Coordinates of all heavy atoms in Angstrom, one line a residue:
R1 N 13.4 11.3 6.1 CA 12.4 10.3 6.5 C 11.8 10.7 7.9 O 12.5 11.2 8.7 CB 12.9 8.9 6.6 CG 13.4 8.4 5.2 CD 13.7 7.0 5.3 NE 14.1 6.6 3.9 CZ 14.2 5.3 3.6 NH1 14.0 4.4 4.5 NH2 14.5 5.0 2.4
G2 N 10.5 10.5 8.0 CA 9.8 10.7 9.3 C 10.0 9.6 10.2 O 10.5 8.5 9.9
L3 N 9.5 9.7 11.5 CA 9.5 8.6 12.4 C 8.2 7.9 12.0 O 7.1 8.4 12.0 CB 9.4 9.1 13.8 CG 10.5 10.0 14.3 CD1 10.2 10.6 15.6 CD2 11.8 9.3 14.3
V4 N 8.3 6.6 11.6 CA 7.2 5.9 11.0 C 6.7 4.9 12.0 O 7.4 4.2 12.7 CB 7.7 5.2 9.7 CG1 6.5 4.4 9.1 CG2 8.2 6.2 8.7
G5 N 5.3 4.9 12.1 CA 4.6 3.9 12.9 C 3.8 3.0 12.1 O 3.0 3.5 11.2
S6 N 3.8 1.7 12.2 CA 2.9 0.8 11.6 C 2.7 1.0 10.1 O 1.6 1.2 9.6 CB 1.6 0.8 12.3 OG 0.7 -0.2 11.8
E7 N 3.8 1.0 9.3 CA 3.7 1.0 7.8 C 3.2 2.2 7.2 O 2.8 2.2 6.1 CB 2.9 -0.2 7.3 CG 3.5 -1.6 7.8 CD 2.7 -2.7 7.3 OE1 2.0 -2.6 6.3 OE2 2.8 -3.8 8.0
M8 N 3.2 3.4 7.9 CA 2.8 4.6 7.3 C 4.0 5.3 6.7 O 5.0 5.5 7.3 CB 2.1 5.5 8.3 CG 1.5 6.8 7.7 SD 0.6 7.7 8.9 CE -0.3 8.8 7.8
C9 N 3.9 5.8 5.5 CA 5.0 6.5 4.8 C 4.4 7.9 4.3 O 3.4 8.0 3.7 CB 5.5 5.7 3.6 SG 6.8 6.5 2.8
I10 N 5.2 9.0 4.7 CA 4.8 10.3 4.3 C 5.9 11.0 3.6 O 7.0 10.9 3.9 CB 4.5 11.1 5.6 CG1 3.2 10.7 6.2 CG2 4.4 12.6 5.4 CD1 2.0 11.5 6.0
R11 N 5.5 11.8 2.6 CA 6.5 12.7 1.9 C 5.9 14.1 1.8 O 4.7 14.2 1.5 CB 6.7 12.2 0.5 CG 7.5 10.9 0.4 CD 7.9 10.5 -1.0 NE 8.8 9.3 -0.9 CZ 8.3 8.1 -0.9 NH1 7.0 7.8 -0.9 NH2 9.2 7.1 -0.9
D12 N 6.6 15.1 2.2 CA 6.1 16.4 2.3 C 6.9 17.3 1.3 O 8.1 17.0 1.0 CB 6.2 17.0 3.7 CG 7.5 17.0 4.3 OD1 8.4 16.3 3.8 OD2 7.7 17.6 5.3
R13 N 6.3 18.4 0.9 CA 6.9 19.3 -0.1 C 6.1 20.7 0.0 O 5.0 20.6 0.3 CB 6.9 18.8 -1.5 CG 5.5 18.6 -2.0 CD 5.6 17.8 -3.4 NE 4.3 17.7 -3.9 CZ 3.3 16.8 -3.5 NH1 3.6 16.0 -2.5 NH2 2.2 16.8 -4.1
P14 N 6.7 21.8 -0.2 CA 8.1 22.0 -0.2 C 8.7 22.1 1.2 O 7.9 22.2 2.1 CB 8.3 23.4 -0.9 CG 7.0 24.1 -0.5 CD 6.0 23.0 -0.4
N15 N 9.9 22.0 1.3 CA 10.6 22.1 2.7 C 11.9 22.8 2.4 O 12.8 22.1 1.9 CB 10.7 20.8 3.3 CG 11.0 20.9 4.8 OD1 11.0 22.0 5.4 ND2 11.2 19.8 5.5
P16 N 12.1 24.0 2.7 CA 11.2 24.9 3.6 C 9.9 25.3 2.9 O 9.9 25.3 1.7 CB 12.1 26.1 3.9 CG 13.1 26.1 2.9 CD 13.3 24.7 2.4
V17 N 9.0 25.7 3.7 CA 7.6 26.1 3.2 C 7.4 27.5 3.5 O 7.8 28.0 4.5 CB 6.6 25.1 3.8 CG1 6.5 25.2 5.3 CG2 5.2 25.4 3.2
Y18 N 6.6 28.2 2.7 CA 6.2 29.6 2.9 C 4.7 29.7 3.3 O 4.4 30.3 4.3 CB 6.5 30.4 1.7 CG 8.0 30.6 1.4 CD1 8.6 29.7 0.5 CD2 8.7 31.5 2.0 CE1 10.0 29.8 0.3 CE2 10.1 31.6 1.8 CZ 10.7 30.8 0.9 OH 12.0 30.9 0.7
T19 N 3.8 29.1 2.5 CA 2.4 29.3 2.8 C 1.6 27.9 2.9 O 0.8 27.8 3.8 CB 1.7 30.1 1.7 OG1 1.9 29.5 0.4 CG2 2.2 31.5 1.7
E20 N 1.9 27.0 2.0 CA 1.2 25.7 2.1 C 2.1 24.5 2.1 O 3.0 24.5 1.3 CB 0.2 25.6 0.9 CG -1.0 26.5 1.0 CD -2.0 26.1 -0.1 OE1 -1.7 25.5 -1.1 OE2 -3.2 26.5 0.1
L21 N 1.9 23.6 3.0 CA 2.6 22.4 3.0 C 1.8 21.3 2.5 O 0.6 21.0 2.9 CB 3.0 22.0 4.5 CG 3.8 20.8 4.7 CD1 5.2 20.9 4.1 CD2 3.9 20.5 6.2
S22 N 2.2 20.6 1.4 CA 1.5 19.5 0.8 C 2.3 18.2 1.1 O 3.5 18.2 1.1 CB 1.4 19.7 -0.7 OG 0.7 20.9 -1.0
F23 N 1.5 17.1 1.2 CA 2.2 15.9 1.5 C 1.3 14.7 0.9 O 0.1 14.9 0.7 CB 2.5 15.6 3.0 CG 1.3 16.0 3.9 CD1 0.5 15.0 4.3 CD2 1.1 17.2 4.4 CE1 -0.6 15.3 5.2 CE2 0.1 17.6 5.2 CZ -0.8 16.6 5.6
T24 N 2.0 13.6 0.7 CA 1.3 12.4 0.2 C 1.6 11.3 1.2 O 2.6 11.3 1.9 CB 1.9 12.0 -1.2 OG1 3.3 11.8 -1.1 CG2 1.6 13.1 -2.2
S25 N 0.7 10.3 1.2 CA 0.8 9.2 2.1 C 0.3 8.0 1.5 O -0.6 8.1 0.6 CB 0.0 9.5 3.4 OG -0.1 8.4 4.2
N26 N 0.8 6.8 1.9 CA 0.2 5.6 1.4 C -1.1 5.2 2.1 O -1.7 4.3 1.7 CB 1.3 4.5 1.6 CG 1.6 4.2 3.0 OD1 1.7 5.2 3.8 ND2 1.9 3.0 3.4
L27 N -1.5 6.0 3.1 CA -2.7 5.7 3.8 C -3.6 7.0 3.8 O -3.1 8.1 3.7 CB -2.4 5.3 5.3 CG -1.6 4.0 5.5 CD1 -1.3 3.9 7.0 CD2 -2.3 2.8 5.0
L28 N -4.9 6.9 4.0 CA -5.8 8.0 4.1 C -5.6 8.7 5.4 O -5.8 8.1 6.5 CB -7.2 7.6 3.9 CG -8.3 8.7 3.9 CD1 -8.0 9.6 2.7 CD2 -9.7 8.1 3.8
I29 N -5.2 9.9 5.4 CA -4.9 10.7 6.7 C -6.1 11.2 7.3 O -6.9 11.8 6.6 CB -3.8 11.8 6.4 CG1 -2.5 11.1 5.9 CG2 -3.6 12.6 7.6 CD1 -1.5 12.1 5.4
G30 N -6.2 11.1 8.6 CA -7.4 11.7 9.3 C -7.0 12.9 10.1 O -7.4 14.0 9.7
K31 N -6.2 12.8 11.1 CA -5.9 13.9 12.0 C -4.5 14.4 11.8 O -3.6 13.6 11.4 CB -6.0 13.4 13.5 CG -7.4 13.0 13.9 CD -7.5 12.6 15.3 CE -8.9 12.2 15.7 NZ -9.1 11.9 17.1
Y32 N -4.3 15.6 12.2 CA -2.9 16.2 12.1 C -2.7 17.2 13.3 O -3.7 17.7 13.8 CB -2.7 16.9 10.8 CG -3.5 18.2 10.7 CD1 -3.0 19.4 11.1 CD2 -4.7 18.2 10.0 CE1 -3.7 20.6 11.0 CE2 -5.4 19.4 9.9 CZ -4.9 20.5 10.4 OH -5.7 21.7 10.3
T33 N -1.5 17.3 13.7 CA -1.1 18.3 14.7 C 0.3 18.9 14.2 O 1.1 18.2 13.6 CB -0.9 17.8 16.1 OG1 0.0 16.7 16.1 CG2 -2.2 17.3 16.7
V34 N 0.5 20.2 14.5 CA 1.7 20.9 14.3 C 2.2 21.5 15.6 O 1.4 22.2 16.2 CB 1.6 22.0 13.2 CG1 2.9 22.7 13.0 CG2 1.2 21.3 11.8
V35 N 3.4 21.2 16.0 CA 4.0 21.7 17.2 C 5.3 22.4 16.8 O 6.0 22.1 15.9 CB 4.2 20.7 18.3 CG1 2.9 20.1 18.8 CG2 5.2 19.6 17.9
N36 N 5.6 23.5 17.6 CA 6.9 24.2 17.4 C 8.0 23.4 18.1 O 7.8 22.4 18.8 CB 6.8 25.7 17.7 CG 6.6 25.9 19.2 OD1 6.8 25.0 20.1 ND2 6.1 27.1 19.5
L37 N 9.2 24.0 18.0 CA 10.4 23.3 18.6 C 10.3 23.2 20.1 O 10.8 22.3 20.7 CB 11.6 24.1 18.2 CG 13.0 23.4 18.4 CD1 13.0 22.1 17.7 CD2 14.1 24.3 17.9
A38 N 9.6 24.2 20.7 CA 9.4 24.1 22.2 C 8.3 23.2 22.6 O 8.1 23.0 23.8 CB 9.1 25.6 22.7
G39 N 7.6 22.6 21.6 CA 6.5 21.6 22.0 C 5.1 22.3 22.1 O 4.2 21.6 22.4
K40 N 5.0 23.6 21.7 CA 3.7 24.2 21.8 C 2.9 23.9 20.6 O 3.3 23.9 19.5 CB 3.9 25.8 21.8 CG 2.6 26.5 21.8 CD 2.9 28.0 21.7 CE 1.5 28.7 21.6 NZ 1.7 30.1 21.1
L41 N 1.6 23.5 20.9 CA 0.7 23.1 19.8 C 0.3 24.4 19.0 O -0.1 25.4 19.6 CB -0.6 22.5 20.4 CG -1.6 22.1 19.4 CD1 -1.2 21.0 18.5 CD2 -2.9 21.7 20.1
E42 N 0.6 24.4 17.7 CA 0.3 25.5 16.9 C -0.9 25.3 16.0 O -1.7 26.2 15.8 CB 1.5 25.8 15.9 CG 2.8 26.2 16.7 CD 2.7 27.6 17.2 OE1 1.8 28.4 16.9 OE2 3.6 27.9 18.0
L43 N -1.1 24.1 15.5 CA -2.3 23.8 14.6 C -2.7 22.3 14.9 O -1.9 21.5 15.2 CB -1.9 23.8 13.1 CG -1.4 25.2 12.6 CD1 -0.9 24.9 11.1 CD2 -2.6 26.1 12.5
K44 N -4.0 22.1 14.7 CA -4.5 20.7 14.8 C -5.8 20.7 14.1 O -6.5 21.7 14.0 CB -4.6 20.2 16.2 CG -5.8 20.7 17.0 CD -5.7 20.1 18.4 CE -7.1 19.7 18.8 NZ -7.1 19.0 20.1
G45 N -6.2 19.5 13.6 CA -7.4 19.3 12.9 C -7.6 18.0 12.3 O -6.8 17.1 12.5
D46 N -8.7 17.9 11.5 CA -9.0 16.6 10.8 C -9.0 17.0 9.3 O -9.6 18.0 8.9 CB -10.3 16.1 11.2 CG -10.4 15.7 12.7 OD1 -9.5 15.0 13.1 OD2 -11.3 16.1 13.4
F47 N -8.5 16.1 8.5 CA -8.7 16.2 7.1 C -10.0 15.5 6.7 O -10.2 14.4 7.0 CB -7.5 15.5 6.3 CG -6.2 16.3 6.4 CD1 -5.2 15.9 7.1 CD2 -6.1 17.5 5.7 CE1 -4.0 16.6 7.2 CE2 -5.0 18.3 5.7 CZ -3.9 17.8 6.5
E48 N -10.8 16.3 6.0 CA -12.1 15.8 5.6 C -12.1 15.3 4.2 O -13.1 14.8 3.7 CB -13.2 16.8 5.8 CG -13.3 17.2 7.3 CD -14.3 18.3 7.5 OE1 -15.0 18.7 6.6 OE2 -14.5 18.7 8.7
N49 N -11.0 15.4 3.5 CA -10.9 14.9 2.1 C -9.5 14.5 1.9 O -8.7 14.5 2.8 CB -11.3 16.0 1.1 CG -10.6 17.3 1.3 OD1 -9.4 17.3 1.5 ND2 -11.4 18.4 1.2
D50 N -9.1 14.2 0.7 CA -7.7 13.7 0.5 C -6.8 14.7 -0.2 O -5.8 14.3 -0.8 CB -7.8 12.4 -0.4 CG -8.4 12.6 -1.7 OD1 -8.9 13.7 -2.0 OD2 -8.5 11.7 -2.5
T51 N -7.0 16.0 0.1 CA -6.2 17.0 -0.5 C -4.8 17.0 0.2 O -3.8 17.3 -0.5 CB -6.8 18.4 -0.4 OG1 -7.0 18.7 1.0 CG2 -8.1 18.5 -1.2
N52 N -4.8 16.8 1.5 CA -3.5 16.7 2.2 C -2.6 18.0 2.0 O -1.4 17.9 1.8 CB -2.7 15.5 1.8 CG -3.4 14.2 2.2 OD1 -4.3 14.2 3.0 ND2 -2.9 13.1 1.7
T53 N -3.3 19.1 2.1 CA -2.6 20.4 2.0 C -2.9 21.2 3.3 O -4.1 21.3 3.7 CB -3.0 21.2 0.8 OG1 -2.7 20.5 -0.4 CG2 -2.3 22.6 0.7
L54 N -1.9 21.8 3.9 CA -2.0 22.5 5.2 C -1.6 23.9 5.0 O -0.4 24.2 4.6 CB -1.2 21.7 6.2 CG -1.4 22.1 7.7 CD1 -2.8 21.9 8.1 CD2 -0.4 21.2 8.5
D55 N -2.4 24.9 5.4 CA -2.1 26.3 5.3 C -1.2 26.6 6.6 O -1.7 26.6 7.7 CB -3.3 27.2 5.3 CG -3.0 28.6 5.2 OD1 -1.9 29.0 5.2 OD2 -4.0 29.4 5.3
V56 N 0.0 27.0 6.4 CA 0.9 27.3 7.5 C 1.4 28.8 7.4 O 2.4 29.2 8.0 CB 2.2 26.4 7.5 CG1 1.8 25.0 7.8 CG2 3.0 26.5 6.2
S57 N 0.7 29.6 6.6 CA 1.1 31.0 6.4 C 1.1 31.8 7.6 O 1.8 32.8 7.7 CB 0.2 31.6 5.3 OG -1.2 31.6 5.7
N58 N 0.3 31.5 8.6 CA 0.2 32.2 9.9 C 1.3 31.8 10.9 O 1.4 32.5 12.0 CB -1.2 32.1 10.5 CG -2.2 32.8 9.7 OD1 -1.9 33.8 9.1 ND2 -3.4 32.3 9.7
L59 N 2.0 30.8 10.6 CA 3.1 30.4 11.6 C 4.3 31.3 11.4 O 4.6 31.8 10.4 CB 3.5 28.9 11.3 CG 2.5 27.8 11.4 CD1 3.1 26.5 11.1 CD2 2.0 27.8 12.9
E60 N 5.0 31.5 12.6 CA 6.2 32.3 12.6 C 7.3 31.5 11.9 O 7.2 30.2 11.8 CB 6.7 32.6 14.0 CG 5.7 33.4 14.8 CD 5.7 34.8 14.3 OE1 6.7 35.4 13.9 OE2 4.6 35.5 14.4
T61 N 8.4 32.1 11.4 CA 9.5 31.4 10.9 C 10.1 30.5 11.9 O 10.3 30.9 13.1 CB 10.6 32.5 10.4 OG1 9.9 33.3 9.4 CG2 11.8 31.8 9.8
G62 N 10.5 29.3 11.5 CA 11.1 28.4 12.5 C 10.9 26.9 12.1 O 10.4 26.6 11.0
L63 N 11.3 26.0 13.0 CA 11.3 24.6 12.8 C 10.0 24.1 13.5 O 9.7 24.4 14.6 CB 12.5 23.9 13.4 CG 12.6 22.4 13.3 CD1 12.7 22.0 11.9 CD2 13.8 21.9 14.1
Y64 N 9.3 23.2 12.8 CA 8.0 22.6 13.3 C 8.0 21.1 13.1 O 8.8 20.6 12.3 CB 6.8 23.3 12.6 CG 6.7 24.7 13.0 CD1 7.3 25.7 12.2 CD2 5.9 25.1 14.0 CE1 7.2 27.0 12.5 CE2 5.7 26.5 14.3 CZ 6.4 27.4 13.6 OH 6.2 28.7 13.9
F65 N 7.1 20.5 13.8 CA 6.9 19.0 13.7 C 5.5 18.8 13.3 O 4.5 19.3 14.0 CB 7.3 18.3 14.9 CG 8.7 18.4 15.3 CD1 9.2 19.3 16.1 CD2 9.6 17.5 14.7 CE1 10.5 19.5 16.5 CE2 11.0 17.6 15.0 CZ 11.4 18.6 15.9
L66 N 5.2 18.0 12.2 CA 3.9 17.7 11.8 C 3.7 16.2 12.1 O 4.4 15.4 11.7 CB 3.8 17.9 10.3 CG 2.6 17.3 9.6 CD1 1.3 18.0 10.0 CD2 2.7 17.3 8.1
K67 N 2.6 15.9 12.8 CA 2.2 14.5 13.1 C 0.9 14.3 12.4 O -0.1 15.0 12.6 CB 2.0 14.3 14.6 CG 1.6 12.9 14.9 CD 1.4 12.7 16.4 CE 1.0 11.3 16.7 NZ 0.7 11.1 18.2
V68 N 0.9 13.3 11.6 CA -0.3 12.9 10.9 C -0.7 11.5 11.3 O 0.2 10.6 11.6 CB -0.2 13.0 9.4 CG1 -0.1 14.4 8.9 CG2 1.0 12.1 8.9
E69 N -2.0 11.2 11.4 CA -2.5 9.9 11.9 C -3.5 9.4 10.9 O -4.2 10.1 10.3 CB -3.2 10.1 13.2 CG -2.3 10.6 14.3 CD -3.1 10.8 15.6 OE1 -4.0 10.0 15.9 OE2 -2.8 11.8 16.3
A70 N -3.4 8.0 10.8 CA -4.3 7.3 9.9 C -4.6 6.0 10.6 O -3.8 5.1 10.6 CB -3.7 7.0 8.5
G71 N -5.8 5.9 11.3 CA -6.1 4.7 12.0 C -5.2 4.6 13.2 O -5.0 5.5 14.0
N72 N -4.5 3.4 13.2 CA -3.6 3.1 14.3 C -2.1 3.5 13.9 O -1.2 3.3 14.6 CB -3.6 1.7 14.7 CG -4.9 1.3 15.4 OD1 -5.5 2.1 16.0 ND2 -5.3 0.1 15.2
S73 N -2.0 4.1 12.7 CA -0.6 4.5 12.2 C -0.4 6.0 12.4 O -1.4 6.7 12.4 CB -0.5 4.1 10.8 OG -0.7 2.7 10.6
F74 N 0.8 6.4 12.5 CA 1.2 7.8 12.5 C 2.6 8.0 11.9 O 3.4 7.1 11.8 CB 1.1 8.3 14.0 CG 2.2 7.8 14.8 CD1 3.4 8.5 14.9 CD2 2.1 6.6 15.5 CE1 4.4 8.0 15.7 CE2 3.1 6.1 16.3 CZ 4.3 6.8 16.4
S75 N 2.8 9.2 11.6 CA 4.1 9.6 11.1 C 4.4 11.1 11.6 O 3.5 11.9 11.7 CB 4.2 9.6 9.6 OG 5.5 9.9 9.2
V76 N 5.6 11.3 12.0 CA 6.1 12.7 12.4 C 7.1 13.1 11.5 O 8.1 12.4 11.3 CB 6.6 12.7 13.9 CG1 7.1 14.0 14.3 CG2 5.5 12.1 14.9
R77 N 6.9 14.3 10.9 CA 7.9 14.9 10.0 C 8.3 16.3 10.5 O 7.4 17.0 11.1 CB 7.2 15.1 8.6 CG 6.7 13.9 8.0 CD 7.8 13.0 7.4 NE 8.5 13.8 6.4 CZ 9.5 13.4 5.7 NH1 9.9 12.2 5.8 NH2 10.1 14.1 4.8
K78 N 9.5 16.7 10.3 CA 9.9 18.1 10.6 C 9.9 18.9 9.4 O 10.2 18.4 8.3 CB 11.2 18.1 11.4 CG 12.4 17.7 10.6 CD 13.6 17.7 11.4 CE 14.8 17.1 10.7 NZ 16.0 17.2 11.4
F79 N 9.5 20.2 9.5 CA 9.6 21.1 8.4 C 10.0 22.5 8.9 O 9.8 22.8 10.0 CB 8.3 21.1 7.6 CG 7.1 21.8 8.3 CD1 6.8 23.1 8.2 CD2 6.3 21.0 9.2 CE1 5.8 23.7 8.8 CE2 5.2 21.6 9.8 CZ 5.0 22.9 9.7
I80 N 10.5 23.2 7.9 CA 11.0 24.6 8.2 C 10.0 25.6 7.6 O 9.7 25.5 6.4 CB 12.4 24.8 7.7 CG1 13.4 23.9 8.3 CG2 12.8 26.3 7.9 CD1 14.7 23.9 7.7
K81 N 9.5 26.5 8.4 CA 8.7 27.6 7.9 C 9.5 28.8 7.7 O 10.2 29.3 8.6 CB 7.5 27.9 8.9 CG 6.7 29.2 8.7 CD 6.0 29.1 7.4 CE 5.0 30.3 7.3 NZ 5.5 31.6 7.1
N82 N 9.5 29.3 6.4 CA 10.3 30.6 6.1 C 9.3 31.7 6.0 O 8.1 31.6 5.9 CB 11.0 30.4 4.8 CG 12.3 29.8 4.9 OD1 12.9 29.7 6.0 ND2 12.9 29.4 3.8

């Protein structure tokens, strides 16, 4: 489970991930950020549709944190990039 704020629920797959991380949410997701274990920002952006798929193929192997936002709600999930 992720750290959940204000009734937002996220499920991600696959984990570990190789090229694309897909996730579902009970809310329409707007913004996302991906940071590495050291806290360095690796990816960020806005989802312009409801596909909720993120290309992580350019990330190095390791542990990352994905933060997604929907209005005043957010969720943080960890994932492993292989």
Side-chain angles (χ1 to χ4, degrees):
R1 295 187 175 193
L3 303 174
V4 178
S6 184
E7 301 180 24
M8 185 175 195
C9 182
I10 288 260
R11 291 188 174 85
D12 55 347
R13 63 190 184 283
N15 196 1
V17 61
Y18 293 95
T19 57
E20 286 189 343
L21 180 66
S22 298
F23 47 94
T24 58
S25 172
N26 61 325
L27 299 174
L28 183 62
I29 296 172
K31 297 180 180 185
Y32 68 88
T33 55
V34 174
V35 296
N36 64 21
L37 194 56
K40 178 184 173 195
L41 179 66
E42 297 285 348
L43 299 170
K44 76 180 221 178
D46 297 310
F47 285 108
E48 297 179 4
N49 53 42
D50 59 357
T51 59
N52 295 347
T53 300
L54 194 55
D55 180 2
V56 296
S57 60
N58 291 329
L59 295 178
E60 297 289 327
T61 300
L63 180 65
Y64 293 88
F65 296 94
L66 166 68
K67 178 181 180 182
V68 292
E69 299 177 35
N72 292 330
S73 299
F74 70 92
S75 181
V76 177
R77 304 281 301 182
K78 64 181 173 181
F79 69 94
I80 298 169
K81 167 63 169 70
N82 274 345

